[in-house]
Amino acid sequence: MSRLLILTSLAFLLYLPNTSATLALTNLQTLLQQHPLPQTPAQNTPSHAPWSHSPHCTTSHHLAHLGQKFCIYTSNTTGPYGLSLILKPRDAVRATAHLSDNPLESFLTKRQAESMYLGGVGGGQAWKVVDVPGKDKGVVATRRIARFETVMVDQAAVVVDMDLEKAVMKGESNAMLKLAVERLRAPGVIRDMSAKHNDGKDEEEVEGEEGRLEEDVMKTNAFGSTVVDVSTRALFPLISRINHACNPNSFVMFSRAGVSMAIKAYRDIEEGEEITISYLLLGIPSHKRTHLLSRWGFTCTCALCSLPPQEKKASDLRRVMIAQAEEKIIQLAESYDLPAAIALTHESIQMIIEEEVYPMLTDEYAMLAMLYLEHGDRKSAEKYGKLAWGLLGDLGFLGVGEEKDRQTFTLERLLGNMGKLGGDGSGGKWKKGEV
């Protein structure tokens, strides 16, 4: 099952522009769910529109957040499940602009959406939820999925400001979560999800604690997302069924609003193969992965973690060298030893290919473009700049449809959007919204 994560699988962070897709938002319930969800009668009144209920608030008595209100805002006309936000009032006002966020428009052209949901040759729903031995539920491919194909889209059901747990007592935050779920159009969908963070307690004992079940569902299944510039935990009930692998075949993409999400394939996925994502940044050595994954209470048995000892040791060494290479490349470039910096970047690219963490190539290609340009070799700079731009487009980070078509490559545009390079293994960052 998917767990709370700040998922930045790609080294470049680009926003997803809106596209010209026109499938109606009102069809999402049918499109995203195999069975219609129960409907809750509209309760909007002028006193709390556009929300379906009057906001329910609590006030922090914690010194760092003293007097700050956190309120539950629910819109049961948003998405297939309804949407409950637990935010500060000023942030909720800004969030109203995202109540119509349509994942179909963020991630798919009209033709792609019709193919995904209406079928046809090579189309139709590409996945199903199944029981996976040792993992509870999981998602497998029901047909062959092509590399870079968008597999699944979803919308958040619950979004919670990360500050809530620090600002109020645990019992109070749990009660807020319980009410946020109760106000959804289909609260049972949330409560039926895995709650593995129950500290060994049986299900009846967890359910007997006020809001404990809802809290554990969030801890076990939520993703880290940014909504109206606020760090949040966001629960996507459909995508949360997808399990972890350290070398996954798919990755997560967020809409610019942060309340819609899509799954896109890194590579071809065969019928019957489990669809996986990484809960962690790509390229982390095995001992660090084991430590980081322990927060979700499981030991990873993916193909990468199950390598024979010598092969795992070689993989870990490559991953450490990839991470260290970035800082060394920057040092060489700053000392103007460009030939050595270029040579080391090529070595890093080869190790990335051997480790099959292909999204990390975007940084390396862009770095080579910059280094070659500085070295006076524009032809090589253009070559690697185009490779970076093409991979970003294939991965979906230049938008879709007409918006993607307008993202014309120029070397200056690529390099102009390279942010400050860091030594944390995450690579260069795009300046958000400036592509």
Side-chain angles (χ1 to χ4, degrees):
M1 298 271 207
S2 298
R3 314 292 184 249
L4 175 62
L5 54 113
I6 306 299
L7 192 67
T8 315
S9 301
L10 301 176
F12 286 98
L13 301 181
L14 301 179
Y15 76 97
L16 275 168
N18 290 328
T19 73
S20 59
T22 57
L23 286 181
L25 181 64
T26 55
N27 291 332
L28 281 178
Q29 178 178 320
T30 302
L31 296 178
L32 297 181
Q33 294 292 123
Q34 293 178 334
H35 305 287
L37 297 175
Q39 300 292 320
T40 299
Q43 297 178 330
N44 283 20
T45 69
S47 63
H48 53 258
W51 311 111
S52 304
H53 303 74
S54 178
H56 174 84
C57 301
T58 188
T59 301
S60 174
H61 298 288
H62 189 278
L63 186 60
H65 302 273
L66 190 62
Q68 178 65 66
K69 280 188 176 182
F70 292 84
C71 303
I72 303 169
Y73 302 89
T74 302
S75 169
N76 275 324
T77 61
T78 297
Y81 328 97
L83 172 63
S84 279
L85 307 166
I86 303 182
L87 296 173
K88 302 176 184 74
R90 65 175 181 273
D91 296 325
V93 171
R94 293 188 294 150
T96 58
H98 301 321
L99 297 181
S100 60
D101 188 46
N102 187 343
L104 302 181
E105 293 185 353
S106 292
F107 306 112
L108 301 165
T109 64
K110 181 178 180 181
R111 178 175 296 180
Q112 289 170 336
E114 289 173 346
S115 175
M116 177 182 290
Y117 293 109
L118 303 180
V121 178
Q125 182 169 299
W127 53 269
K128 65 179 178 181
V129 178
V130 300
D131 292 322
V132 178
K135 298 182 183 179
D136 196 6
K137 299 291 184 182
V139 179
V140 299
T142 56
R143 60 168 173 80
R144 188 176 185 275
I145 297 169
R147 186 185 187 197
F148 302 131
E149 179 181 345
T150 300
V151 179
M152 180 189 293
V153 297
D154 200 7
Q155 281 185 288
V158 181
V159 173
V160 182
D161 188 325
M162 287 280 199
D163 285 342
L164 179 69
E165 289 186 5
K166 297 176 286 186
V168 302
M169 299 293 289
K170 188 175 183 63
E172 196 170 3
S173 67
N174 286 358
M176 293 281 283
L177 269 175
K178 181 178 181 181
L179 181 57
V181 171
E182 284 178 352
R183 288 184 166 189
L184 294 173
R185 190 161 66 242
V189 171
I190 310 305
R191 290 174 174 148
D192 286 344
M193 297 175 70
S194 173
K196 295 298 185 183
H197 274 79
N198 57 15
D199 300 330
K201 298 183 179 183
D202 60 36
E203 189 170 332
E204 287 187 6
E205 190 175 357
V206 170
E207 289 181 345
E209 298 180 32
E210 181 76 10
R212 179 62 185 271
L213 175 63
E214 290 78 7
E215 180 203 25
D216 287 337
V217 166
M218 288 293 291
K219 284 185 175 180
T220 306
N221 297 280
F223 293 80
S225 183
T226 300
V227 179
V228 293
D229 299 321
V230 176
S231 295
T232 69
R233 287 192 292 166
L235 183 64
F236 296 82
L238 188 58
I239 287 178
S240 290
R241 296 294 187 183
I242 299 178
N243 287 315
H244 164 85
C246 296
N247 257 12
N249 53 32
S250 304
F251 67 99
V252 164
M253 299 179 72
F254 289 92
S255 68
R256 182 168 48 181
V259 295
S260 294
M261 184 187 280
I263 298 295
K264 198 174 181 74
Y266 275 139
R267 57 170 176 79
D268 293 343
I269 302 172
E270 300 303 323
E271 182 178 350
E273 183 179 350
E274 185 175 6
I275 297 170
T276 57
I277 58 176
S278 177
Y279 299 173
L280 308 172
L281 291 173
L282 295 182
I284 299 174
S286 60
H287 67 282
K288 289 186 177 180
R289 298 197 305 267
T290 299
H291 171 70
L292 292 170
L293 289 170
S294 65
R295 75 184 70 172
W296 292 292
F298 71 90
T299 300
C300 185
T301 58
C302 74
L304 186 64
C305 291
S306 301
L307 287 173
Q310 286 303 111
E311 292 183 34
K312 184 185 290 187
K313 184 177 180 180
S315 171
D316 286 343
L317 179 60
R318 283 191 293 269
R319 288 167 179 249
V320 170
M321 291 176 68
I322 290 167
Q324 292 176 345
E326 180 183 315
E327 184 175 357
K328 182 63 176 176
I329 291 165
I330 293 170
Q331 290 173 353
L332 289 169
E334 288 176 344
S335 64
Y336 221 70
D337 190 350
L338 297 178
I342 289 170
L344 183 55
T345 307
H346 279 290
E347 291 177 18
S348 181
I349 285 173
Q350 185 57 43
M351 289 187 290
I352 288 171
I353 292 172
E354 290 175 8
E355 283 300 295
E356 298 182 345
V357 284
Y358 301 111
M360 296 178 71
L361 289 172
T362 52
D363 266 10
E364 307 305 301
Y365 288 153
M367 177 69 80
L368 273 179
M370 181 175 64
L371 291 170
Y372 274 121
L373 186 64
E374 188 68 20
H375 197 46
D377 185 352
R378 187 174 181 91
K379 182 177 179 181
S380 294
E382 290 276 354
K383 173 186 174 181
Y384 287 102
K386 287 178 180 177
L387 286 174
W389 194 262
L391 183 54
L392 288 167
D394 287 337
L395 291 169
F397 279 78
L398 299 182
V400 296
E402 293 178 3
E403 191 70 31
K404 181 180 178 181
D405 294 340
R406 290 195 292 269
Q407 304 294 333
T408 306
F409 167 77
T410 66
L411 186 59
E412 287 70 25
R413 188 176 197 182
L414 174 75
L415 299 182
N417 283 283
M418 288 186 68
K420 182 179 179 182
L421 291 170
D424 61 356
S426 61
K429 303 289 188 264
W430 286 84
K431 297 176 183 178
K432 185 176 180 181
E434 295 185 4
V435 176

